[in-house]
PDB file of all heavy atoms in Angstrom:
ATOM      1  N   HIS A   1       3.014 -36.220  13.598  1.00 90.00           N
ATOM      2  CA  HIS A   1       2.254 -35.696  12.438  1.00 90.00           C
ATOM      3  C   HIS A   1       2.419 -34.115  12.366  1.00 90.00           C
ATOM      4  O   HIS A   1       2.259 -33.630  11.253  1.00 90.00           O
ATOM      5  CB  HIS A   1       0.736 -36.052  12.519  1.00 90.00           C
ATOM      6  CG  HIS A   1      -0.054 -35.268  13.500  1.00 90.00           C
ATOM      7  ND1 HIS A   1      -0.259 -35.674  14.754  1.00 90.00           N
ATOM      8  CD2 HIS A   1      -0.712 -34.176  13.256  1.00 90.00           C
ATOM      9  CE1 HIS A   1      -0.971 -34.729  15.348  1.00 90.00           C
ATOM     10  NE2 HIS A   1      -1.283 -33.830  14.434  1.00 90.00           N
ATOM     11  N   GLN A   2       2.544 -33.542  13.454  1.00 93.00           N
ATOM     12  CA  GLN A   2       2.795 -32.060  13.428  1.00 93.00           C
ATOM     13  C   GLN A   2       4.090 -31.613  12.632  1.00 93.00           C
ATOM     14  O   GLN A   2       3.990 -30.700  11.763  1.00 93.00           O
ATOM     15  CB  GLN A   2       2.869 -31.451  14.833  1.00 93.00           C
ATOM     16  CG  GLN A   2       1.569 -31.541  15.654  1.00 93.00           C
ATOM     17  CD  GLN A   2       1.478 -32.827  16.468  1.00 93.00           C
ATOM     18  OE1 GLN A   2       2.033 -33.805  16.098  1.00 93.00           O
ATOM     19  NE2 GLN A   2       0.966 -32.734  17.679  1.00 93.00           N
ATOM     20  N   GLU A   3       5.147 -32.456  12.885  1.00 92.00           N
ATOM     21  CA  GLU A   3       6.311 -32.093  12.067  1.00 92.00           C
ATOM     22  C   GLU A   3       6.163 -32.500  10.599  1.00 92.00           C
ATOM     23  O   GLU A   3       6.686 -31.759   9.774  1.00 92.00           O
ATOM     24  CB  GLU A   3       7.519 -32.981  12.699  1.00 92.00           C
ATOM     25  CG  GLU A   3       8.082 -32.377  14.049  1.00 92.00           C
ATOM     26  CD  GLU A   3       7.091 -32.568  15.108  1.00 92.00           C
ATOM     27  OE1 GLU A   3       6.367 -33.672  15.200  1.00 92.00           O
ATOM     28  OE2 GLU A   3       6.990 -31.713  16.065  1.00 92.00           O
ATOM     29  N   PHE A   4       5.531 -33.582  10.312  1.00 94.00           N
ATOM     30  CA  PHE A   4       5.302 -33.860   8.914  1.00 94.00           C
ATOM     31  C   PHE A   4       4.400 -32.836   8.153  1.00 94.00           C
ATOM     32  O   PHE A   4       4.692 -32.472   7.047  1.00 94.00           O
ATOM     33  CB  PHE A   4       4.596 -35.277   8.869  1.00 94.00           C
ATOM     34  CG  PHE A   4       4.428 -35.737   7.325  1.00 94.00           C
ATOM     35  CD1 PHE A   4       5.391 -35.896   6.592  1.00 94.00           C
ATOM     36  CD2 PHE A   4       3.079 -35.921   6.925  1.00 94.00           C
ATOM     37  CE1 PHE A   4       5.164 -36.287   5.204  1.00 94.00           C
ATOM     38  CE2 PHE A   4       2.885 -36.232   5.680  1.00 94.00           C
ATOM     39  CZ  PHE A   4       3.973 -36.467   4.736  1.00 94.00           C
ATOM     40  N   LEU A   5       3.378 -32.319   8.983  1.00 94.00           N
ATOM     41  CA  LEU A   5       2.579 -31.321   8.345  1.00 94.00           C
ATOM     42  C   LEU A   5       3.449 -29.985   8.165  1.00 94.00           C
ATOM     43  O   LEU A   5       3.202 -29.381   7.115  1.00 94.00           O
ATOM     44  CB  LEU A   5       1.348 -30.990   9.332  1.00 94.00           C
ATOM     45  CG  LEU A   5       0.375 -29.992   8.872  1.00 94.00           C
ATOM     46  CD1 LEU A   5      -0.359 -30.363   7.514  1.00 94.00           C
ATOM     47  CD2 LEU A   5      -0.742 -29.773   9.928  1.00 94.00           C
ATOM     48  N   ARG A   6       4.356 -29.788   8.988  1.00 95.00           N
ATOM     49  CA  ARG A   6       5.195 -28.578   8.853  1.00 95.00           C
ATOM     50  C   ARG A   6       6.026 -28.739   7.622  1.00 95.00           C
ATOM     51  O   ARG A   6       6.314 -27.837   6.852  1.00 95.00           O
ATOM     52  CB  ARG A   6       6.049 -28.375  10.017  1.00 95.00           C
ATOM     53  CG  ARG A   6       6.875 -27.029  10.121  1.00 95.00           C
ATOM     54  CD  ARG A   6       7.592 -26.915  11.415  1.00 95.00           C
ATOM     55  NE  ARG A   6       6.690 -27.115  12.547  1.00 95.00           N
ATOM     56  CZ  ARG A   6       6.961 -27.718  13.688  1.00 95.00           C
ATOM     57  NH1 ARG A   6       8.151 -28.322  13.870  1.00 95.00           N
ATOM     58  NH2 ARG A   6       6.036 -27.798  14.646  1.00 95.00           N
ATOM     59  N   PHE A   7       6.416 -29.998   7.411  1.00 95.00           N
ATOM     60  CA  PHE A   7       7.271 -30.266   6.167  1.00 95.00           C
ATOM     61  C   PHE A   7       6.506 -30.041   4.912  1.00 95.00           C
ATOM     62  O   PHE A   7       6.980 -29.712   3.919  1.00 95.00           O
ATOM     63  CB  PHE A   7       7.856 -31.654   6.244  1.00 95.00           C
ATOM     64  CG  PHE A   7       8.892 -32.008   5.140  1.00 95.00           C
ATOM     65  CD1 PHE A   7       9.944 -31.148   4.859  1.00 95.00           C
ATOM     66  CD2 PHE A   7       8.666 -33.039   4.407  1.00 95.00           C
ATOM     67  CE1 PHE A   7      10.803 -31.407   3.839  1.00 95.00           C
ATOM     68  CE2 PHE A   7       9.633 -33.416   3.364  1.00 95.00           C
ATOM     69  CZ  PHE A   7      10.589 -32.542   3.094  1.00 95.00           C
ATOM     70  N   LEU A   8       5.229 -30.609   4.858  1.00 95.00           N
ATOM     71  CA  LEU A   8       4.330 -30.406   3.803  1.00 95.00           C
ATOM     72  C   LEU A   8       4.231 -28.977   3.437  1.00 95.00           C
ATOM     73  O   LEU A   8       4.272 -28.609   2.223  1.00 95.00           O
ATOM     74  CB  LEU A   8       2.910 -31.044   4.035  1.00 95.00           C
ATOM     75  CG  LEU A   8       2.870 -32.605   4.110  1.00 95.00           C
ATOM     76  CD1 LEU A   8       1.543 -33.038   4.412  1.00 95.00           C
ATOM     77  CD2 LEU A   8       3.437 -33.215   2.777  1.00 95.00           C
ATOM     78  N   ARG A   9       4.138 -28.160   4.343  1.00 95.00           N
ATOM     79  CA  ARG A   9       3.964 -26.654   4.138  1.00 95.00           C
ATOM     80  C   ARG A   9       5.201 -26.169   3.587  1.00 95.00           C
ATOM     81  O   ARG A   9       5.261 -25.288   2.622  1.00 95.00           O
ATOM     82  CB  ARG A   9       3.644 -25.927   5.392  1.00 95.00           C
ATOM     83  CG  ARG A   9       2.366 -26.227   5.990  1.00 95.00           C
ATOM     84  CD  ARG A   9       1.886 -25.275   7.151  1.00 95.00           C
ATOM     85  NE  ARG A   9       0.592 -25.579   7.638  1.00 95.00           N
ATOM     86  CZ  ARG A   9       0.456 -26.237   8.844  1.00 95.00           C
ATOM     87  NH1 ARG A   9       1.473 -26.552   9.523  1.00 95.00           N
ATOM     88  NH2 ARG A   9      -0.857 -26.486   9.306  1.00 95.00           N
ATOM     89  N   THR A  10       6.457 -26.658   4.015  1.00 95.00           N
ATOM     90  CA  THR A  10       7.741 -26.324   3.404  1.00 95.00           C
ATOM     91  C   THR A  10       7.803 -26.604   1.933  1.00 95.00           C
ATOM     92  O   THR A  10       8.260 -25.888   1.062  1.00 95.00           O
ATOM     93  CB  THR A  10       8.777 -26.919   4.177  1.00 95.00           C
ATOM     94  OG1 THR A  10       8.874 -26.525   5.588  1.00 95.00           O
ATOM     95  CG2 THR A  10      10.238 -26.672   3.598  1.00 95.00           C
ATOM     96  N   ILE A  11       7.338 -27.879   1.659  1.00 95.00           N
ATOM     97  CA  ILE A  11       7.330 -28.382   0.218  1.00 95.00           C
ATOM     98  C   ILE A  11       6.396 -27.497  -0.605  1.00 95.00           C
ATOM     99  O   ILE A  11       6.749 -26.971  -1.687  1.00 95.00           O
ATOM    100  CB  ILE A  11       6.848 -29.837   0.114  1.00 95.00           C
ATOM    101  CG1 ILE A  11       7.855 -30.735   0.708  1.00 95.00           C
ATOM    102  CG2 ILE A  11       6.629 -30.227  -1.319  1.00 95.00           C
ATOM    103  CD1 ILE A  11       7.434 -32.150   0.809  1.00 95.00           C
ATOM    104  N   ASP A  12       5.264 -26.980  -0.064  1.00 95.00           N
ATOM    105  CA  ASP A  12       4.254 -26.174  -0.717  1.00 95.00           C
ATOM    106  C   ASP A  12       5.011 -24.905  -0.986  1.00 95.00           C
ATOM    107  O   ASP A  12       4.753 -24.316  -2.118  1.00 95.00           O
ATOM    108  CB  ASP A  12       3.084 -26.035   0.170  1.00 95.00           C
ATOM    109  CG  ASP A  12       1.947 -25.369  -0.538  1.00 95.00           C
ATOM    110  OD1 ASP A  12       1.886 -25.476  -1.749  1.00 95.00           O
ATOM    111  OD2 ASP A  12       1.037 -24.741   0.146  1.00 95.00           O
ATOM    112  N   ARG A  13       5.734 -24.232  -0.172  1.00 94.00           N
ATOM    113  CA  ARG A  13       6.370 -22.951  -0.333  1.00 94.00           C
ATOM    114  C   ARG A  13       7.501 -23.137  -1.332  1.00 94.00           C
ATOM    115  O   ARG A  13       7.892 -22.100  -2.104  1.00 94.00           O
ATOM    116  CB  ARG A  13       6.849 -22.397   0.911  1.00 94.00           C
ATOM    117  CG  ARG A  13       5.717 -21.924   1.895  1.00 94.00           C
ATOM    118  CD  ARG A  13       6.262 -21.185   3.046  1.00 94.00           C
ATOM    119  NE  ARG A  13       7.195 -21.916   3.832  1.00 94.00           N
ATOM    120  CZ  ARG A  13       6.855 -22.622   4.890  1.00 94.00           C
ATOM    121  NH1 ARG A  13       5.557 -22.706   5.272  1.00 94.00           N
ATOM    122  NH2 ARG A  13       7.787 -23.294   5.587  1.00 94.00           N
ATOM    123  N   ALA A  14       8.301 -24.314  -1.344  1.00 94.00           N
ATOM    124  CA  ALA A  14       9.441 -24.443  -2.070  1.00 94.00           C
ATOM    125  C   ALA A  14       9.293 -24.825  -3.521  1.00 94.00           C
ATOM    126  O   ALA A  14      10.177 -24.916  -4.312  1.00 94.00           O
ATOM    127  CB  ALA A  14      10.388 -25.378  -1.377  1.00 94.00           C
ATOM    128  N   THR A  15       8.020 -25.145  -3.943  1.00 94.00           N
ATOM    129  CA  THR A  15       7.706 -25.568  -5.309  1.00 94.00           C
ATOM    130  C   THR A  15       6.745 -24.640  -5.974  1.00 94.00           C
ATOM    131  O   THR A  15       6.002 -23.786  -5.290  1.00 94.00           O
ATOM    132  CB  THR A  15       7.108 -26.927  -5.264  1.00 94.00           C
ATOM    133  OG1 THR A  15       5.944 -26.972  -4.445  1.00 94.00           O
ATOM    134  CG2 THR A  15       8.037 -27.965  -4.776  1.00 94.00           C
ATOM    135  N   PRO A  16       6.781 -24.520  -7.258  1.00 93.00           N
ATOM    136  CA  PRO A  16       5.865 -23.539  -8.083  1.00 93.00           C
ATOM    137  C   PRO A  16       4.294 -23.974  -7.651  1.00 93.00           C
ATOM    138  O   PRO A  16       3.986 -25.146  -7.655  1.00 93.00           O
ATOM    139  CB  PRO A  16       6.160 -23.930  -9.447  1.00 93.00           C
ATOM    140  CG  PRO A  16       7.603 -24.472  -9.482  1.00 93.00           C
ATOM    141  CD  PRO A  16       7.727 -25.172  -8.196  1.00 93.00           C
ATOM    142  N   SER A  17       3.606 -22.877  -7.392  1.00 90.00           N
ATOM    143  CA  SER A  17       2.270 -23.124  -7.002  1.00 90.00           C
ATOM    144  C   SER A  17       1.249 -23.642  -8.008  1.00 90.00           C
ATOM    145  O   SER A  17       0.222 -24.183  -7.697  1.00 90.00           O
ATOM    146  CB  SER A  17       1.608 -21.813  -6.385  1.00 90.00           C
ATOM    147  OG  SER A  17       1.684 -20.873  -7.460  1.00 90.00           O
ATOM    148  N   ASP A  18       1.672 -23.570  -9.301  1.00 91.00           N
ATOM    149  CA  ASP A  18       0.716 -24.088 -10.339  1.00 91.00           C
ATOM    150  C   ASP A  18       1.142 -25.393 -10.925  1.00 91.00           C
ATOM    151  O   ASP A  18       0.600 -25.795 -11.944  1.00 91.00           O
ATOM    152  CB  ASP A  18       0.841 -23.064 -11.598  1.00 91.00           C
ATOM    153  CG  ASP A  18       2.255 -22.919 -12.037  1.00 91.00           C
ATOM    154  OD1 ASP A  18       3.206 -23.234 -11.331  1.00 91.00           O
ATOM    155  OD2 ASP A  18       2.366 -22.411 -13.168  1.00 91.00           O
ATOM    156  N   VAL A  19       1.954 -26.213 -10.119  1.00 94.00           N
ATOM    157  CA  VAL A  19       2.433 -27.526 -10.516  1.00 94.00           C
ATOM    158  C   VAL A  19       1.818 -28.544  -9.586  1.00 94.00           C
ATOM    159  O   VAL A  19       1.835 -28.423  -8.305  1.00 94.00           O
ATOM    160  CB  VAL A  19       3.971 -27.600 -10.628  1.00 94.00           C
ATOM    161  CG1 VAL A  19       4.425 -29.030 -10.810  1.00 94.00           C
ATOM    162  CG2 VAL A  19       4.503 -26.666 -11.637  1.00 94.00           C
ATOM    163  N   ASP A  20       1.319 -29.603 -10.102  1.00 94.00           N
ATOM    164  CA  ASP A  20       0.807 -30.730  -9.249  1.00 94.00           C
ATOM    165  C   ASP A  20       2.053 -31.471  -8.656  1.00 94.00           C
ATOM    166  O   ASP A  20       3.116 -31.593  -9.341  1.00 94.00           O
ATOM    167  CB  ASP A  20      -0.024 -31.694 -10.115  1.00 94.00           C
ATOM    168  CG  ASP A  20      -1.440 -31.158 -10.301  1.00 94.00           C
ATOM    169  OD1 ASP A  20      -1.756 -30.086  -9.648  1.00 94.00           O
ATOM    170  OD2 ASP A  20      -2.265 -31.881 -10.948  1.00 94.00           O
ATOM    171  N   LEU A  21       1.862 -31.954  -7.390  1.00 96.00           N
ATOM    172  CA  LEU A  21       3.000 -32.662  -6.802  1.00 96.00           C
ATOM    173  C   LEU A  21       2.559 -34.036  -6.403  1.00 96.00           C
ATOM    174  O   LEU A  21       1.470 -34.232  -5.834  1.00 96.00           O
ATOM    175  CB  LEU A  21       3.307 -31.901  -5.353  1.00 96.00           C
ATOM    176  CG  LEU A  21       3.749 -30.403  -5.601  1.00 96.00           C
ATOM    177  CD1 LEU A  21       3.987 -29.849  -4.144  1.00 96.00           C
ATOM    178  CD2 LEU A  21       4.988 -30.310  -6.419  1.00 96.00           C
ATOM    179  N   HIS A  22       3.316 -35.049  -6.900  1.00 96.00           N
ATOM    180  CA  HIS A  22       3.111 -36.425  -6.550  1.00 96.00           C
ATOM    181  C   HIS A  22       4.198 -36.925  -5.634  1.00 96.00           C
ATOM    182  O   HIS A  22       5.316 -36.925  -5.983  1.00 96.00           O
ATOM    183  CB  HIS A  22       3.130 -37.246  -7.835  1.00 96.00           C
ATOM    184  CG  HIS A  22       2.063 -36.926  -8.811  1.00 96.00           C
ATOM    185  ND1 HIS A  22       0.905 -37.692  -8.855  1.00 96.00           N
ATOM    186  CD2 HIS A  22       1.763 -35.987  -9.767  1.00 96.00           C
ATOM    187  CE1 HIS A  22       0.049 -37.180  -9.809  1.00 96.00           C
ATOM    188  NE2 HIS A  22       0.698 -36.155 -10.362  1.00 96.00           N
ATOM    189  N   LEU A  23       3.772 -37.249  -4.364  1.00 96.00           N
ATOM    190  CA  LEU A  23       4.649 -37.585  -3.319  1.00 96.00           C
ATOM    191  C   LEU A  23       4.638 -39.132  -3.099  1.00 96.00           C
ATOM    192  O   LEU A  23       3.560 -39.624  -2.925  1.00 96.00           O
ATOM    193  CB  LEU A  23       4.202 -36.887  -1.974  1.00 96.00           C
ATOM    194  CG  LEU A  23       4.791 -35.508  -1.742  1.00 96.00           C
ATOM    195  CD1 LEU A  23       4.351 -34.536  -2.897  1.00 96.00           C
ATOM    196  CD2 LEU A  23       4.390 -34.917  -0.333  1.00 96.00           C
ATOM    197  N   ILE A  24       5.787 -39.612  -3.126  1.00 95.00           N
ATOM    198  CA  ILE A  24       5.916 -41.037  -2.902  1.00 95.00           C
ATOM    199  C   ILE A  24       6.324 -41.292  -1.361  1.00 95.00           C
ATOM    200  O   ILE A  24       7.402 -40.657  -0.875  1.00 95.00           O
ATOM    201  CB  ILE A  24       7.010 -41.665  -3.728  1.00 95.00           C
ATOM    202  CG1 ILE A  24       6.561 -41.634  -5.227  1.00 95.00           C
ATOM    203  CG2 ILE A  24       7.213 -43.159  -3.345  1.00 95.00           C
ATOM    204  CD1 ILE A  24       7.590 -41.961  -6.183  1.00 95.00           C
ATOM    205  N   LEU A  25       5.513 -41.961  -0.638  1.00 94.00           N
ATOM    206  CA  LEU A  25       5.695 -42.047   0.860  1.00 94.00           C
ATOM    207  C   LEU A  25       5.652 -43.534   1.366  1.00 94.00           C
ATOM    208  O   LEU A  25       5.068 -44.388   0.642  1.00 94.00           O
ATOM    209  CB  LEU A  25       4.627 -41.259   1.611  1.00 94.00           C
ATOM    210  CG  LEU A  25       4.536 -39.762   1.248  1.00 94.00           C
ATOM    211  CD1 LEU A  25       3.122 -39.347   1.804  1.00 94.00           C
ATOM    212  CD2 LEU A  25       5.627 -38.979   1.975  1.00 94.00           C
ATOM    213  N   ASP A  26       6.066 -43.828   2.612  1.00 91.00           N
ATOM    214  CA  ASP A  26       5.836 -45.068   3.181  1.00 91.00           C
ATOM    215  C   ASP A  26       4.595 -44.980   4.018  1.00 91.00           C
ATOM    216  O   ASP A  26       3.885 -44.091   3.996  1.00 91.00           O
ATOM    217  CB  ASP A  26       7.119 -45.513   4.080  1.00 91.00           C
ATOM    218  CG  ASP A  26       7.362 -44.597   5.126  1.00 91.00           C
ATOM    219  OD1 ASP A  26       6.417 -43.795   5.546  1.00 91.00           O
ATOM    220  OD2 ASP A  26       8.510 -44.510   5.587  1.00 91.00           O
ATOM    221  N   ASN A  27       4.379 -46.157   4.686  1.00 88.00           N
ATOM    222  CA  ASN A  27       3.066 -46.206   5.466  1.00 88.00           C
ATOM    223  C   ASN A  27       3.209 -45.872   6.851  1.00 88.00           C
ATOM    224  O   ASN A  27       2.403 -46.359   7.657  1.00 88.00           O
ATOM    225  CB  ASN A  27       2.556 -47.737   5.304  1.00 88.00           C
ATOM    226  CG  ASN A  27       2.145 -48.086   3.976  1.00 88.00           C
ATOM    227  OD1 ASN A  27       1.062 -47.875   3.537  1.00 88.00           O
ATOM    228  ND2 ASN A  27       3.117 -48.649   3.180  1.00 88.00           N
ATOM    229  N   TYR A  28       4.133 -44.940   7.182  1.00 88.00           N
ATOM    230  CA  TYR A  28       4.229 -44.514   8.628  1.00 88.00           C
ATOM    231  C   TYR A  28       2.985 -43.808   9.017  1.00 88.00           C
ATOM    232  O   TYR A  28       2.323 -43.112   8.281  1.00 88.00           O
ATOM    233  CB  TYR A  28       5.458 -43.560   8.724  1.00 88.00           C
ATOM    234  CG  TYR A  28       5.883 -43.325  10.158  1.00 88.00           C
ATOM    235  CD1 TYR A  28       6.433 -44.364  10.860  1.00 88.00           C
ATOM    236  CD2 TYR A  28       5.896 -42.085  10.644  1.00 88.00           C
ATOM    237  CE1 TYR A  28       6.833 -44.157  12.268  1.00 88.00           C
ATOM    238  CE2 TYR A  28       6.351 -41.784  12.019  1.00 88.00           C
ATOM    239  CZ  TYR A  28       6.767 -42.931  12.746  1.00 88.00           C
ATOM    240  OH  TYR A  28       7.202 -42.710  13.993  1.00 88.00           O
ATOM    241  N   GLY A  29       2.653 -44.067  10.324  1.00 87.00           N
ATOM    242  CA  GLY A  29       1.328 -43.546  10.730  1.00 87.00           C
ATOM    243  C   GLY A  29       1.138 -41.997  10.600  1.00 87.00           C
ATOM    244  O   GLY A  29       0.018 -41.563  10.546  1.00 87.00           O
ATOM    245  N   THR A  30       2.164 -41.347  10.832  1.00 87.00           N
ATOM    246  CA  THR A  30       2.069 -39.811  10.787  1.00 87.00           C
ATOM    247  C   THR A  30       1.678 -39.252   9.399  1.00 87.00           C
ATOM    248  O   THR A  30       1.275 -38.187   9.272  1.00 87.00           O
ATOM    249  CB  THR A  30       3.394 -39.215  11.164  1.00 87.00           C
ATOM    250  OG1 THR A  30       4.429 -39.664  10.281  1.00 87.00           O
ATOM    251  CG2 THR A  30       3.837 -39.600  12.570  1.00 87.00           C
ATOM    252  N   HIS A  31       1.798 -40.117   8.299  1.00 91.00           N
ATOM    253  CA  HIS A  31       1.369 -39.720   6.950  1.00 91.00           C
ATOM    254  C   HIS A  31      -0.084 -39.813   6.780  1.00 91.00           C
ATOM    255  O   HIS A  31      -0.555 -39.391   5.684  1.00 91.00           O
ATOM    256  CB  HIS A  31       2.126 -40.545   6.020  1.00 91.00           C
ATOM    257  CG  HIS A  31       3.674 -40.396   6.083  1.00 91.00           C
ATOM    258  ND1 HIS A  31       4.498 -41.355   5.582  1.00 91.00           N
ATOM    259  CD2 HIS A  31       4.517 -39.568   6.568  1.00 91.00           C
ATOM    260  CE1 HIS A  31       5.769 -41.042   5.712  1.00 91.00           C
ATOM    261  NE2 HIS A  31       5.709 -39.987   6.497  1.00 91.00           N
ATOM    262  N   LYS A  32      -0.844 -40.431   7.598  1.00 90.00           N
ATOM    263  CA  LYS A  32      -2.242 -40.814   7.401  1.00 90.00           C
ATOM    264  C   LYS A  32      -3.214 -40.279   8.443  1.00 90.00           C
ATOM    265  O   LYS A  32      -4.309 -40.730   8.484  1.00 90.00           O
ATOM    266  CB  LYS A  32      -2.394 -42.226   7.232  1.00 90.00           C
ATOM    267  CG  LYS A  32      -1.522 -42.830   6.106  1.00 90.00           C
ATOM    268  CD  LYS A  32      -1.815 -44.333   5.998  1.00 90.00           C
ATOM    269  CE  LYS A  32      -0.897 -44.954   4.821  1.00 90.00           C
ATOM    270  NZ  LYS A  32      -1.066 -46.423   4.753  1.00 90.00           N
ATOM    271  N   THR A  33      -2.732 -39.319   9.356  1.00 92.00           N
ATOM    272  CA  THR A  33      -3.611 -38.898  10.416  1.00 92.00           C
ATOM    273  C   THR A  33      -4.785 -37.994   9.869  1.00 92.00           C
ATOM    274  O   THR A  33      -4.603 -37.460   8.735  1.00 92.00           O
ATOM    275  CB  THR A  33      -2.795 -38.125  11.467  1.00 92.00           C
ATOM    276  OG1 THR A  33      -2.248 -36.864  10.844  1.00 92.00           O
ATOM    277  CG2 THR A  33      -1.642 -38.954  12.019  1.00 92.00           C
ATOM    278  N   PRO A  34      -5.856 -37.851  10.648  1.00 93.00           N
ATOM    279  CA  PRO A  34      -6.870 -36.961  10.207  1.00 93.00           C
ATOM    280  C   PRO A  34      -6.499 -35.529   9.915  1.00 93.00           C
ATOM    281  O   PRO A  34      -6.936 -34.892   8.978  1.00 93.00           O
ATOM    282  CB  PRO A  34      -7.925 -37.014  11.320  1.00 93.00           C
ATOM    283  CG  PRO A  34      -7.672 -38.240  12.032  1.00 93.00           C
ATOM    284  CD  PRO A  34      -6.188 -38.502  11.909  1.00 93.00           C
ATOM    285  N   GLN A  35      -5.454 -35.062  10.772  1.00 94.00           N
ATOM    286  CA  GLN A  35      -5.004 -33.689  10.450  1.00 94.00           C
ATOM    287  C   GLN A  35      -4.314 -33.534   9.079  1.00 94.00           C
ATOM    288  O   GLN A  35      -4.544 -32.563   8.325  1.00 94.00           O
ATOM    289  CB  GLN A  35      -4.032 -33.230  11.517  1.00 94.00           C
ATOM    290  CG  GLN A  35      -4.763 -33.163  12.997  1.00 94.00           C
ATOM    291  CD  GLN A  35      -4.813 -34.398  13.739  1.00 94.00           C
ATOM    292  OE1 GLN A  35      -4.652 -35.535  13.066  1.00 94.00           O
ATOM    293  NE2 GLN A  35      -5.024 -34.340  14.921  1.00 94.00           N
ATOM    294  N   ILE A  36      -3.571 -34.583   8.758  1.00 93.00           N
ATOM    295  CA  ILE A  36      -2.910 -34.633   7.353  1.00 93.00           C
ATOM    296  C   ILE A  36      -3.963 -34.663   6.238  1.00 93.00           C
ATOM    297  O   ILE A  36      -3.847 -33.998   5.315  1.00 93.00           O
ATOM    298  CB  ILE A  36      -1.903 -35.792   7.346  1.00 93.00           C
ATOM    299  CG1 ILE A  36      -0.873 -35.595   8.348  1.00 93.00           C
ATOM    300  CG2 ILE A  36      -1.295 -35.844   5.844  1.00 93.00           C
ATOM    301  CD1 ILE A  36       0.075 -34.436   8.162  1.00 93.00           C
ATOM    302  N   GLN A  37      -4.972 -35.505   6.476  1.00 93.00           N
ATOM    303  CA  GLN A  37      -5.972 -35.687   5.469  1.00 93.00           C
ATOM    304  C   GLN A  37      -6.751 -34.329   5.268  1.00 93.00           C
ATOM    305  O   GLN A  37      -7.083 -34.010   4.122  1.00 93.00           O
ATOM    306  CB  GLN A  37      -6.968 -36.808   5.921  1.00 93.00           C
ATOM    307  CG  GLN A  37      -6.397 -38.197   5.918  1.00 93.00           C
ATOM    308  CD  GLN A  37      -5.739 -38.704   4.655  1.00 93.00           C
ATOM    309  OE1 GLN A  37      -6.345 -38.327   3.584  1.00 93.00           O
ATOM    310  NE2 GLN A  37      -4.763 -39.426   4.746  1.00 93.00           N
TER     311      GLN A  37
END
């Protein structure tokens, strides 16, 4: 989940800050940890 959180931050920096982002994901456990939430 640490690596996935790092990737979320990369997405945050690489996209316009005023645009909503809809992410399509699978059900891998690292996508739903308390830290991610």
Side-chain angles (χ1 to χ4, degrees):
H1 78 270
Q2 293 93 327
E3 284 72 32
F4 181 63
L5 185 58
R6 192 176 304 143
F7 184 55
L8 289 178
R9 295 191 179 103
T10 299
I11 295 175
D12 193 26
R13 292 189 300 268
T15 55
S17 59
D18 58 341
V19 174
D20 280 354
L21 303 177
H22 293 264
L23 275 58
I24 298 172
L25 303 163
D26 61 21
N27 291 274
Y28 196 61
T30 58
H31 301 159
K32 302 179 179 181
T33 62
Q35 295 85 345
I36 299 297
Q37 298 298 327

